[in-house]
Amino acid sequence: GSKVVLYTEEEETSKVTVPDFSSMSVSGVESTARGAGLNVVINGVADGASGAISYKQSVKVGEEVEAGTVITVWFRYADSVE
């Protein structure tokens, strides 16, 4: 019997502040998320859709989350009626 010792380091996870994604285009949201170290799921429009504006997000603005967290952002077309 040999003994194997495994040392693991606890990585310190970095926290980031969730930005306000409201009233942005799909590309604006993607760019802002990338800059903040977050991932986004686009909901309500087809990939590459133009003319869509974000109106809701799954995590509140200003909340502290781990870098890499996935935020869902909902979109609708600017001419949609609420």
Side-chain angles (χ1 to χ4, degrees):
S2 49
K3 183 191 263 186
V4 176
V5 179
L6 179 63
Y7 293 96
T8 60
E9 265 188 61
E10 218 177 277
E11 280 189 45
E12 191 174 312
T13 56
S14 58
K15 296 280 188 179
V16 296
T17 302
V18 175
D20 185 357
F21 292 115
S22 63
S23 300
M24 289 186 176
S25 66
V26 172
S27 61
V29 166
E30 290 172 335
S31 175
T32 301
R34 213 175 9 261
L38 297 166
N39 295 301
V40 289
V41 171
I42 305 302
N43 199 312
V45 294
D47 281 348
S50 61
I53 301 296
S54 57
Y55 69 94
K56 184 169 112 177
Q57 62 193 67
S58 62
V59 180
K60 290 180 188 171
V61 174
E63 197 165 309
E64 293 284 317
V65 296
E66 287 185 20
T69 295
V70 177
I71 311 277
T72 301
V73 181
W74 284 266
F75 286 81
R76 64 178 158 225
Y77 291 96
D79 58 359
S80 294
V81 177
E82 283 189 33

